[in-house]
Amino acid sequence: MARIESLSILTTDTGKEYLAELYGKVIENVQKALVSADMKNTDLSGDPTAGTVEAKRFANATSANYGTARKAGKGSQIKAKAVTVSIDNDKEIVEEMEEKDVKLYGVDGVLDRRAANHVLRMAAELDKEFFKAADAEAVKVTVATGATVEDELETVIQEAENTANDFVDGVPRSMMRLVTSTAYYGKIRNNLDKMSRANVDTAAEEFYAWHGVEVKSCTHLPAGCDYLLMVDGAVAQPVMASTYTAEKIPLSEATAVSLFYHFGTKVVTPDLIFKKKGAE
């Protein structure tokens, strides 16, 4: 069979893909599920198109003796801490494909497939930036040397559980998320499998929760980070994405598919993100 060399679809830095040898088949892109999507702080105000938005964190109310407000003629001022999130990352994904390539590929909807992949890659980048920011500002918890998996996790969880300051008076485990590397997730999984009465199906990949805390495996944690224990809303990540476009390249038969997006990532509650000390 004669080889027809691709005009624009490259598979390696040194050579081009031979379309006629694909016989109309394509290997779909594979990507592990994203984790941060439903963990982001969405209580934001302001106009994103102006370049910044703001997250406000309100302090807990405090009681006073009866009659205090009447005597003072006013109540206590509501205390709030504002965190400004700059939308300062401007990104694009632009790919082009010759009409000849589209026809020779013999695959229906190849441009749609590329468009779908672009969205996935954008989401993966947001995932990585989200956890990078969380890792950089996490509270470092001292864990006893040689601690077992169960003791280590309980130490970190209880550190979060007992958080107390102007804004927090203890954290219920139902509000926590434990996001782990694949290696540490496997370590927890193995630990559960060894328990004589583990209420877990050892054939299943997921175990969903550890002592009341939701657990997720993630491939987007920073290098060297075993896990992050977080409360939902600890990180804000506003995103603006332009309408997805596919357009003809002038004076050619090529079509470009392009995605332009802008985002910012900022930790709103650094006191509600935890990792073990020494995990840098």
Side-chain angles (χ1 to χ4, degrees), residues 64-96:
N65 292 329
Y66 178 77
T68 299
R70 183 175 180 180
K71 182 178 179 180
K74 61 180 181 179
S76 301
Q77 293 291 319
I78 296 175
K79 297 179 181 178
K81 180 181 179 181
V83 178
T84 300
V85 186
S86 298
I87 302 175
D88 52 6
N89 278 304
D90 305 308
K91 299 288 186 175
E92 66 178 42
I93 300 176
V94 180
E95 290 183 337
E96 66 176 73

PDB file of all heavy atoms in Angstrom, residues 64-96:
ATOM      1  N   ALA A  64     -21.786  38.473  73.829  1.00  0.00           N
ATOM      2  CA  ALA A  64     -21.473  39.487  74.841  1.00  0.00           C
ATOM      3  C   ALA A  64     -22.572  39.427  75.898  1.00  0.00           C
ATOM      4  O   ALA A  64     -23.637  38.831  75.685  1.00  0.00           O
ATOM      5  CB  ALA A  64     -21.402  40.874  74.204  1.00  0.00           C
ATOM      6  N   ASN A  65     -22.333  40.022  77.031  1.00  0.00           N
ATOM      7  CA  ASN A  65     -23.337  40.030  78.096  1.00  0.00           C
ATOM      8  C   ASN A  65     -24.585  40.780  77.647  1.00  0.00           C
ATOM      9  O   ASN A  65     -24.512  41.742  76.870  1.00  0.00           O
ATOM     10  CB  ASN A  65     -22.775  40.681  79.367  1.00  0.00           C
ATOM     11  CG  ASN A  65     -21.682  39.832  79.992  1.00  0.00           C
ATOM     12  OD1 ASN A  65     -21.710  38.604  79.884  1.00  0.00           O
ATOM     13  ND2 ASN A  65     -20.731  40.484  80.632  1.00  0.00           N
ATOM     14  N   TYR A  66     -25.714  40.340  78.121  1.00  0.00           N
ATOM     15  CA  TYR A  66     -26.981  40.965  77.756  1.00  0.00           C
ATOM     16  C   TYR A  66     -26.951  42.454  78.088  1.00  0.00           C
ATOM     17  O   TYR A  66     -26.521  42.865  79.173  1.00  0.00           O
ATOM     18  CB  TYR A  66     -28.131  40.295  78.509  1.00  0.00           C
ATOM     19  CG  TYR A  66     -29.471  40.911  78.211  1.00  0.00           C
ATOM     20  CD1 TYR A  66     -30.128  40.638  77.019  1.00  0.00           C
ATOM     21  CD2 TYR A  66     -30.063  41.798  79.118  1.00  0.00           C
ATOM     22  CE1 TYR A  66     -31.353  41.210  76.723  1.00  0.00           C
ATOM     23  CE2 TYR A  66     -31.277  42.377  78.835  1.00  0.00           C
ATOM     24  CZ  TYR A  66     -31.927  42.093  77.632  1.00  0.00           C
ATOM     25  OH  TYR A  66     -33.126  42.674  77.341  1.00  0.00           O
ATOM     26  N   GLY A  67     -27.393  43.267  77.146  1.00  0.00           N
ATOM     27  CA  GLY A  67     -27.434  44.709  77.361  1.00  0.00           C
ATOM     28  C   GLY A  67     -26.248  45.450  76.788  1.00  0.00           C
ATOM     29  O   GLY A  67     -26.228  46.686  76.759  1.00  0.00           O
ATOM     30  N   THR A  68     -25.209  44.713  76.331  1.00  0.00           N
ATOM     31  CA  THR A  68     -24.006  45.358  75.804  1.00  0.00           C
ATOM     32  C   THR A  68     -24.338  46.238  74.604  1.00  0.00           C
ATOM     33  O   THR A  68     -23.902  47.398  74.519  1.00  0.00           O
ATOM     34  CB  THR A  68     -22.960  44.301  75.404  1.00  0.00           C
ATOM     35  OG1 THR A  68     -22.592  43.531  76.554  1.00  0.00           O
ATOM     36  CG2 THR A  68     -21.714  44.962  74.815  1.00  0.00           C
ATOM     37  N   ALA A  69     -25.093  45.700  73.636  1.00  0.00           N
ATOM     38  CA  ALA A  69     -25.431  46.470  72.439  1.00  0.00           C
ATOM     39  C   ALA A  69     -26.320  47.658  72.783  1.00  0.00           C
ATOM     40  O   ALA A  69     -26.164  48.757  72.226  1.00  0.00           O
ATOM     41  CB  ALA A  69     -26.136  45.563  71.420  1.00  0.00           C
ATOM     42  N   ARG A  70     -27.264  47.469  73.719  1.00  0.00           N
ATOM     43  CA  ARG A  70     -28.155  48.563  74.111  1.00  0.00           C
ATOM     44  C   ARG A  70     -27.380  49.702  74.741  1.00  0.00           C
ATOM     45  O   ARG A  70     -27.612  50.880  74.466  1.00  0.00           O
ATOM     46  CB  ARG A  70     -29.207  48.017  75.083  1.00  0.00           C
ATOM     47  CG  ARG A  70     -30.238  49.056  75.505  1.00  0.00           C
ATOM     48  CD  ARG A  70     -31.306  48.430  76.365  1.00  0.00           C
ATOM     49  NE  ARG A  70     -32.287  49.422  76.778  1.00  0.00           N
ATOM     50  CZ  ARG A  70     -33.348  49.161  77.549  1.00  0.00           C
ATOM     51  NH1 ARG A  70     -33.534  47.907  77.971  1.00  0.00           N
ATOM     52  NH2 ARG A  70     -34.199  50.109  77.872  1.00  0.00           N
ATOM     53  N   LYS A  71     -26.423  49.333  75.573  1.00  0.00           N
ATOM     54  CA  LYS A  71     -25.606  50.352  76.226  1.00  0.00           C
ATOM     55  C   LYS A  71     -24.743  51.089  75.225  1.00  0.00           C
ATOM     56  O   LYS A  71     -24.559  52.313  75.307  1.00  0.00           O
ATOM     57  CB  LYS A  71     -24.725  49.682  77.291  1.00  0.00           C
ATOM     58  CG  LYS A  71     -23.853  50.651  78.075  1.00  0.00           C
ATOM     59  CD  LYS A  71     -23.058  49.916  79.138  1.00  0.00           C
ATOM     60  CE  LYS A  71     -22.169  50.882  79.922  1.00  0.00           C
ATOM     61  NZ  LYS A  71     -21.382  50.175  80.971  1.00  0.00           N
ATOM     62  N   ALA A  72     -24.167  50.347  74.260  1.00  0.00           N
ATOM     63  CA  ALA A  72     -23.276  50.968  73.273  1.00  0.00           C
ATOM     64  C   ALA A  72     -24.049  51.659  72.152  1.00  0.00           C
ATOM     65  O   ALA A  72     -23.508  52.479  71.417  1.00  0.00           O
ATOM     66  CB  ALA A  72     -22.353  49.910  72.676  1.00  0.00           C
ATOM     67  N   GLY A  73     -25.314  51.295  72.004  1.00  0.00           N
ATOM     68  CA  GLY A  73     -26.116  51.893  70.943  1.00  0.00           C
ATOM     69  C   GLY A  73     -25.856  51.277  69.584  1.00  0.00           C
ATOM     70  O   GLY A  73     -26.291  51.809  68.556  1.00  0.00           O
ATOM     71  N   LYS A  74     -25.157  50.164  69.561  1.00  0.00           N
ATOM     72  CA  LYS A  74     -24.882  49.481  68.295  1.00  0.00           C
ATOM     73  C   LYS A  74     -24.406  48.055  68.566  1.00  0.00           C
ATOM     74  O   LYS A  74     -23.952  47.738  69.676  1.00  0.00           O
ATOM     75  CB  LYS A  74     -23.810  50.217  67.487  1.00  0.00           C
ATOM     76  CG  LYS A  74     -22.468  50.325  68.196  1.00  0.00           C
ATOM     77  CD  LYS A  74     -21.446  51.061  67.329  1.00  0.00           C
ATOM     78  CE  LYS A  74     -20.102  51.127  68.074  1.00  0.00           C
ATOM     79  NZ  LYS A  74     -19.081  51.825  67.250  1.00  0.00           N
ATOM     80  N   GLY A  75     -24.498  47.240  67.536  1.00  0.00           N
ATOM     81  CA  GLY A  75     -24.006  45.875  67.645  1.00  0.00           C
ATOM     82  C   GLY A  75     -22.552  45.784  67.224  1.00  0.00           C
ATOM     83  O   GLY A  75     -21.930  46.782  66.835  1.00  0.00           O
ATOM     84  N   SER A  76     -22.012  44.592  67.309  1.00  0.00           N
ATOM     85  CA  SER A  76     -20.612  44.379  66.900  1.00  0.00           C
ATOM     86  C   SER A  76     -20.494  44.465  65.385  1.00  0.00           C
ATOM     87  O   SER A  76     -21.413  44.086  64.648  1.00  0.00           O
ATOM     88  CB  SER A  76     -20.132  43.006  67.365  1.00  0.00           C
ATOM     89  OG  SER A  76     -20.237  42.885  68.769  1.00  0.00           O
ATOM     90  N   GLN A  77     -19.368  44.961  64.929  1.00  0.00           N
ATOM     91  CA  GLN A  77     -19.102  45.014  63.494  1.00  0.00           C
ATOM     92  C   GLN A  77     -18.840  43.611  62.964  1.00  0.00           C
ATOM     93  O   GLN A  77     -18.185  42.803  63.615  1.00  0.00           O
ATOM     94  CB  GLN A  77     -17.881  45.894  63.200  1.00  0.00           C
ATOM     95  CG  GLN A  77     -18.082  47.370  63.501  1.00  0.00           C
ATOM     96  CD  GLN A  77     -19.051  48.018  62.535  1.00  0.00           C
ATOM     97  OE1 GLN A  77     -19.019  47.743  61.345  1.00  0.00           O
ATOM     98  NE2 GLN A  77     -19.914  48.875  63.059  1.00  0.00           N
ATOM     99  N   ILE A  78     -19.382  43.327  61.789  1.00  0.00           N
ATOM    100  CA  ILE A  78     -19.113  42.037  61.154  1.00  0.00           C
ATOM    101  C   ILE A  78     -17.695  42.077  60.595  1.00  0.00           C
ATOM    102  O   ILE A  78     -17.336  42.983  59.846  1.00  0.00           O
ATOM    103  CB  ILE A  78     -20.123  41.762  60.024  1.00  0.00           C
ATOM    104  CG1 ILE A  78     -21.533  41.650  60.604  1.00  0.00           C
ATOM    105  CG2 ILE A  78     -19.744  40.494  59.270  1.00  0.00           C
ATOM    106  CD1 ILE A  78     -22.615  41.488  59.559  1.00  0.00           C
ATOM    107  N   LYS A  79     -16.901  41.108  60.992  1.00  0.00           N
ATOM    108  CA  LYS A  79     -15.511  41.066  60.539  1.00  0.00           C
ATOM    109  C   LYS A  79     -15.380  40.153  59.322  1.00  0.00           C
ATOM    110  O   LYS A  79     -15.895  39.033  59.325  1.00  0.00           O
ATOM    111  CB  LYS A  79     -14.600  40.565  61.657  1.00  0.00           C
ATOM    112  CG  LYS A  79     -14.564  41.468  62.883  1.00  0.00           C
ATOM    113  CD  LYS A  79     -13.653  40.895  63.958  1.00  0.00           C
ATOM    114  CE  LYS A  79     -13.644  41.788  65.192  1.00  0.00           C
ATOM    115  NZ  LYS A  79     -12.782  41.213  66.267  1.00  0.00           N
ATOM    116  N   ALA A  80     -14.712  40.646  58.316  1.00  0.00           N
ATOM    117  CA  ALA A  80     -14.524  39.844  57.101  1.00  0.00           C
ATOM    118  C   ALA A  80     -13.117  40.049  56.566  1.00  0.00           C
ATOM    119  O   ALA A  80     -12.558  41.152  56.661  1.00  0.00           O
ATOM    120  CB  ALA A  80     -15.548  40.222  56.039  1.00  0.00           C
ATOM    121  N   LYS A  81     -12.550  38.989  56.025  1.00  0.00           N
ATOM    122  CA  LYS A  81     -11.233  39.057  55.400  1.00  0.00           C
ATOM    123  C   LYS A  81     -11.415  38.833  53.911  1.00  0.00           C
ATOM    124  O   LYS A  81     -11.993  37.833  53.485  1.00  0.00           O
ATOM    125  CB  LYS A  81     -10.315  37.977  55.981  1.00  0.00           C
ATOM    126  CG  LYS A  81      -8.923  37.968  55.377  1.00  0.00           C
ATOM    127  CD  LYS A  81      -8.075  36.858  55.992  1.00  0.00           C
ATOM    128  CE  LYS A  81      -6.682  36.831  55.381  1.00  0.00           C
ATOM    129  NZ  LYS A  81      -5.855  35.737  55.958  1.00  0.00           N
ATOM    130  N   ALA A  82     -10.945  39.790  53.118  1.00  0.00           N
ATOM    131  CA  ALA A  82     -11.094  39.694  51.668  1.00  0.00           C
ATOM    132  C   ALA A  82      -9.815  39.160  51.033  1.00  0.00           C
ATOM    133  O   ALA A  82      -8.712  39.546  51.420  1.00  0.00           O
ATOM    134  CB  ALA A  82     -11.434  41.057  51.080  1.00  0.00           C
ATOM    135  N   VAL A  83      -9.976  38.267  50.072  1.00  0.00           N
ATOM    136  CA  VAL A  83      -8.848  37.719  49.322  1.00  0.00           C
ATOM    137  C   VAL A  83      -9.080  38.021  47.850  1.00  0.00           C
ATOM    138  O   VAL A  83     -10.093  37.617  47.281  1.00  0.00           O
ATOM    139  CB  VAL A  83      -8.715  36.197  49.524  1.00  0.00           C
ATOM    140  CG1 VAL A  83      -7.564  35.642  48.688  1.00  0.00           C
ATOM    141  CG2 VAL A  83      -8.505  35.863  50.991  1.00  0.00           C
ATOM    142  N   THR A  84      -8.150  38.765  47.249  1.00  0.00           N
ATOM    143  CA  THR A  84      -8.274  39.117  45.838  1.00  0.00           C
ATOM    144  C   THR A  84      -7.618  38.047  44.973  1.00  0.00           C
ATOM    145  O   THR A  84      -6.482  37.649  45.222  1.00  0.00           O
ATOM    146  CB  THR A  84      -7.607  40.481  45.554  1.00  0.00           C
ATOM    147  OG1 THR A  84      -8.259  41.483  46.340  1.00  0.00           O
ATOM    148  CG2 THR A  84      -7.724  40.850  44.084  1.00  0.00           C
ATOM    149  N   VAL A  85      -8.344  37.600  43.977  1.00  0.00           N
ATOM    150  CA  VAL A  85      -7.841  36.568  43.061  1.00  0.00           C
ATOM    151  C   VAL A  85      -7.646  37.208  41.692  1.00  0.00           C
ATOM    152  O   VAL A  85      -8.617  37.650  41.064  1.00  0.00           O
ATOM    153  CB  VAL A  85      -8.823  35.387  42.949  1.00  0.00           C
ATOM    154  CG1 VAL A  85      -8.202  34.270  42.113  1.00  0.00           C
ATOM    155  CG2 VAL A  85      -9.212  34.875  44.327  1.00  0.00           C
ATOM    156  N   SER A  86      -6.410  37.268  41.256  1.00  0.00           N
ATOM    157  CA  SER A  86      -6.115  37.846  39.942  1.00  0.00           C
ATOM    158  C   SER A  86      -6.250  36.786  38.853  1.00  0.00           C
ATOM    159  O   SER A  86      -5.743  35.674  38.996  1.00  0.00           O
ATOM    160  CB  SER A  86      -4.680  38.407  39.921  1.00  0.00           C
ATOM    161  OG  SER A  86      -4.534  39.450  40.862  1.00  0.00           O
ATOM    162  N   ILE A  87      -6.930  37.141  37.783  1.00  0.00           N
ATOM    163  CA  ILE A  87      -7.051  36.238  36.635  1.00  0.00           C
ATOM    164  C   ILE A  87      -5.897  36.585  35.703  1.00  0.00           C
ATOM    165  O   ILE A  87      -6.026  37.393  34.784  1.00  0.00           O
ATOM    166  CB  ILE A  87      -8.419  36.419  35.955  1.00  0.00           C
ATOM    167  CG1 ILE A  87      -9.524  36.148  36.979  1.00  0.00           C
ATOM    168  CG2 ILE A  87      -8.557  35.467  34.763  1.00  0.00           C
ATOM    169  CD1 ILE A  87     -10.919  36.412  36.464  1.00  0.00           C
ATOM    170  N   ASP A  88      -4.749  35.988  35.991  1.00  0.00           N
ATOM    171  CA  ASP A  88      -3.503  36.419  35.366  1.00  0.00           C
ATOM    172  C   ASP A  88      -2.797  35.349  34.538  1.00  0.00           C
ATOM    173  O   ASP A  88      -1.658  35.532  34.114  1.00  0.00           O
ATOM    174  CB  ASP A  88      -2.543  36.951  36.430  1.00  0.00           C
ATOM    175  CG  ASP A  88      -2.333  35.981  37.584  1.00  0.00           C
ATOM    176  OD1 ASP A  88      -2.855  34.835  37.508  1.00  0.00           O
ATOM    177  OD2 ASP A  88      -1.668  36.343  38.562  1.00  0.00           O
ATOM    178  N   ASN A  89      -3.449  34.225  34.327  1.00  0.00           N
ATOM    179  CA  ASN A  89      -2.889  33.189  33.456  1.00  0.00           C
ATOM    180  C   ASN A  89      -3.679  33.157  32.157  1.00  0.00           C
ATOM    181  O   ASN A  89      -4.868  32.809  32.153  1.00  0.00           O
ATOM    182  CB  ASN A  89      -2.960  31.810  34.132  1.00  0.00           C
ATOM    183  CG  ASN A  89      -1.810  31.582  35.090  1.00  0.00           C
ATOM    184  OD1 ASN A  89      -0.655  31.685  34.713  1.00  0.00           O
ATOM    185  ND2 ASN A  89      -2.128  31.297  36.336  1.00  0.00           N
ATOM    186  N   ASP A  90      -3.036  33.521  31.076  1.00  0.00           N
ATOM    187  CA  ASP A  90      -3.691  33.564  29.771  1.00  0.00           C
ATOM    188  C   ASP A  90      -3.140  32.431  28.907  1.00  0.00           C
ATOM    189  O   ASP A  90      -1.950  32.385  28.628  1.00  0.00           O
ATOM    190  CB  ASP A  90      -3.443  34.908  29.093  1.00  0.00           C
ATOM    191  CG  ASP A  90      -3.862  36.069  29.975  1.00  0.00           C
ATOM    192  OD1 ASP A  90      -5.008  36.059  30.451  1.00  0.00           O
ATOM    193  OD2 ASP A  90      -3.039  36.984  30.214  1.00  0.00           O
ATOM    194  N   LYS A  91      -4.012  31.524  28.493  1.00  0.00           N
ATOM    195  CA  LYS A  91      -3.575  30.325  27.792  1.00  0.00           C
ATOM    196  C   LYS A  91      -4.332  30.127  26.481  1.00  0.00           C
ATOM    197  O   LYS A  91      -5.436  30.648  26.294  1.00  0.00           O
ATOM    198  CB  LYS A  91      -3.806  29.096  28.684  1.00  0.00           C
ATOM    199  CG  LYS A  91      -3.042  29.125  30.007  1.00  0.00           C
ATOM    200  CD  LYS A  91      -1.557  28.915  29.806  1.00  0.00           C
ATOM    201  CE  LYS A  91      -0.826  28.799  31.137  1.00  0.00           C
ATOM    202  NZ  LYS A  91       0.602  28.474  30.956  1.00  0.00           N
ATOM    203  N   GLU A  92      -3.730  29.348  25.620  1.00  0.00           N
ATOM    204  CA  GLU A  92      -4.394  28.978  24.371  1.00  0.00           C
ATOM    205  C   GLU A  92      -3.959  27.587  23.948  1.00  0.00           C
ATOM    206  O   GLU A  92      -2.857  27.135  24.243  1.00  0.00           O
ATOM    207  CB  GLU A  92      -4.063  29.971  23.259  1.00  0.00           C
ATOM    208  CG  GLU A  92      -2.589  29.958  22.841  1.00  0.00           C
ATOM    209  CD  GLU A  92      -2.297  30.913  21.694  1.00  0.00           C
ATOM    210  OE1 GLU A  92      -2.819  32.032  21.705  1.00  0.00           O
ATOM    211  OE2 GLU A  92      -1.522  30.515  20.787  1.00  0.00           O
ATOM    212  N   ILE A  93      -4.866  26.908  23.268  1.00  0.00           N
ATOM    213  CA  ILE A  93      -4.555  25.651  22.590  1.00  0.00           C
ATOM    214  C   ILE A  93      -5.051  25.826  21.159  1.00  0.00           C
ATOM    215  O   ILE A  93      -6.251  26.003  20.931  1.00  0.00           O
ATOM    216  CB  ILE A  93      -5.242  24.449  23.243  1.00  0.00           C
ATOM    217  CG1 ILE A  93      -4.813  24.298  24.707  1.00  0.00           C
ATOM    218  CG2 ILE A  93      -4.922  23.170  22.473  1.00  0.00           C
ATOM    219  CD1 ILE A  93      -5.536  23.181  25.453  1.00  0.00           C
ATOM    220  N   VAL A  94      -4.134  25.812  20.216  1.00  0.00           N
ATOM    221  CA  VAL A  94      -4.495  26.006  18.816  1.00  0.00           C
ATOM    222  C   VAL A  94      -3.850  24.898  17.994  1.00  0.00           C
ATOM    223  O   VAL A  94      -2.637  24.700  18.045  1.00  0.00           O
ATOM    224  CB  VAL A  94      -4.022  27.376  18.287  1.00  0.00           C
ATOM    225  CG1 VAL A  94      -4.419  27.540  16.824  1.00  0.00           C
ATOM    226  CG2 VAL A  94      -4.589  28.509  19.134  1.00  0.00           C
ATOM    227  N   GLU A  95      -4.657  24.158  17.271  1.00  0.00           N
ATOM    228  CA  GLU A  95      -4.163  23.122  16.375  1.00  0.00           C
ATOM    229  C   GLU A  95      -4.794  23.323  14.999  1.00  0.00           C
ATOM    230  O   GLU A  95      -5.924  23.813  14.902  1.00  0.00           O
ATOM    231  CB  GLU A  95      -4.530  21.719  16.892  1.00  0.00           C
ATOM    232  CG  GLU A  95      -3.788  21.309  18.138  1.00  0.00           C
ATOM    233  CD  GLU A  95      -4.124  19.897  18.562  1.00  0.00           C
ATOM    234  OE1 GLU A  95      -5.205  19.388  18.182  1.00  0.00           O
ATOM    235  OE2 GLU A  95      -3.315  19.287  19.263  1.00  0.00           O
ATOM    236  N   GLU A  96      -4.056  22.958  13.975  1.00  0.00           N
ATOM    237  CA  GLU A  96      -4.639  23.053  12.638  1.00  0.00           C
ATOM    238  C   GLU A  96      -4.485  21.729  11.907  1.00  0.00           C
ATOM    239  O   GLU A  96      -3.584  20.940  12.193  1.00  0.00           O
ATOM    240  CB  GLU A  96      -4.005  24.185  11.839  1.00  0.00           C
ATOM    241  CG  GLU A  96      -2.531  24.006  11.501  1.00  0.00           C
ATOM    242  CD  GLU A  96      -2.029  25.146  10.626  1.00  0.00           C
ATOM    243  OE1 GLU A  96      -1.860  26.256  11.139  1.00  0.00           O
ATOM    244  OE2 GLU A  96      -1.796  24.892   9.427  1.00  0.00           O
TER     245      GLU A  96
END
